[in-house]
Amino acid sequence: NAGVTQTPKFQVLKTGQSMTLQCAQDMNHNSMYWYRQDPGMGLRLIYYSASEGTTDKGEVPNGYNVSRLNKREFSLRLESAAPSQTSVYFCASRRQRQESNQPQHFGDGTRLSIL
Amino acid sequence: AQTVTQSQPEMSVQEAETVTLSCTYDTSESDYYLFWYKQPPSRQMILVIRQEAYKQQNATENRFSVNFQKAAKSFSLKISDSQLGDAAMYFCGSGTYKYIFGTGTRLKVLA
């Protein structure tokens, strides 16, 4: 099925370990996003990539790095995981701004626990 | 700074009644978009309704409509004839390239 695919769906890490969350979309979208969702905090933007080859910080970028590998893939890396990064992570994608009010399409999320 | 504020952490509505969820935003962009997403317990993010800021006409999608007040930077969601399946978290969002969301409103629908 077409859409946004996130891997893994669940992961448990120990403090200090590194981890890369993968995201791929097959809708030929230009823009991609990483969010984290915490109780009472809503969805907070970590990083986004408006187009292939560009990345920009969102609201909460500290402790994360991203790579826009190609048009399809946008990965999120935790270099040294901390308990405060325990969260549900969502990847999203959308078409360019010029293509009308196209909404974001979201993946199913990755539940990450850091002990 | 770009912000989205949802001041109602939780709302309840009787089945078949109407409920309005509030959202205010702030942005320096002149051309932007506004969205409401629904998140049921499955955690899936489902688009409910969208609005272009340059359009004065309020968007409607079946039982869902918005009251868009651009000068007041307000974008509320009205759900008419509420159904049990409407129970979920609702997130208001805004952006152009950079999209951010509010903290969400949990809607309970009472039978």
Side-chain angles (χ1 to χ4, degrees), chain B residues 5-104:
Chain B
T5 302
Q6 293 179 251
S7 59
Q8 304 155 317
E10 189 171 293
M11 293 282 286
S12 295
V13 62
Q14 206 69 35
E15 196 175 7
E17 296 295 311
T18 297
V19 65
T20 298
L21 308 185
S22 300
C23 174
T24 58
Y25 63 93
D26 195 11
T27 179
S28 57
E29 298 283 343
S30 58
D31 182 16
Y32 54 92
Y33 304 107
L34 298 156
F35 300 93
W36 278 96
Y37 279 85
K38 169 185 176 181
Q39 187 183 46
S42 67
R43 213 171 63 192
Q44 188 181 8
M45 291 288 287
I46 302 166
L47 177 70
V48 174
I49 199 165
R50 53 190 163 181
Q51 172 89 41
E52 296 97 326
Y54 63 85
K55 287 187 177 179
Q56 292 186 342
Q57 186 174 4
N58 289 328
T60 62
E61 286 286 342
N62 301 313
R63 297 182 295 108
F64 299 89
S65 61
V66 298
N67 182 5
F68 175 43
Q69 302 289 328
K70 190 171 184 178
K73 295 184 177 177
S74 171
F75 184 61
S76 61
L77 175 69
K78 185 171 83 171
I79 306 174
S80 304
D81 185 24
S82 297
Q83 300 175 359
L84 295 176
D86 294 334
M89 281 290 289
Y90 286 81
F91 291 100
C92 174
S94 167
T96 304
Y97 287 112
K98 176 182 177 182
Y99 281 83
I100 67 169
F101 291 86
T103 52

Side-chain angles (χ1 to χ4, degrees), chain A residues 23-104:
Chain A
C23 175
Q25 53 87 12
D26 57 6
M27 296 172 283
N28 201 35
H29 286 174
N30 296 90
S31 302
M32 298 185 74
Y33 306 79
W34 276 107
Y35 294 90
R36 61 177 289 175
Q37 183 176 15
D38 304 290
M41 302 295 287
L43 285 160
R44 291 184 291 171
L45 181 64
I46 305 171
Y47 271 93
Y48 68 105
S49 172
S51 61
E52 187 179 358
T54 69
T55 60
D56 287 286
K57 294 179 180 179
E59 302 169 278
V60 288
N62 291 345
Y64 304 95
N65 287 302
V66 290
S67 296
R68 184 73 184 267
L69 306 170
N70 47 55
K71 192 171 185 179
R72 290 187 64 247
E73 298 172 287
F74 188 40
S75 62
L76 178 71
R77 183 162 178 84
L78 288 71
E79 289 291 351
S80 179
S84 61
Q85 294 177 306
T86 292
S87 188
V88 177
Y89 291 83
F90 284 95
C91 178
S93 70
R94 71 181 292 273
R95 289 188 179 181
Q96 280 181 319
R97 167 184 177 180
Q98 289 84 351
E99 297 189 21
S100 189
N101 62 339
Q102 293 300 309
Q104 290 174 305

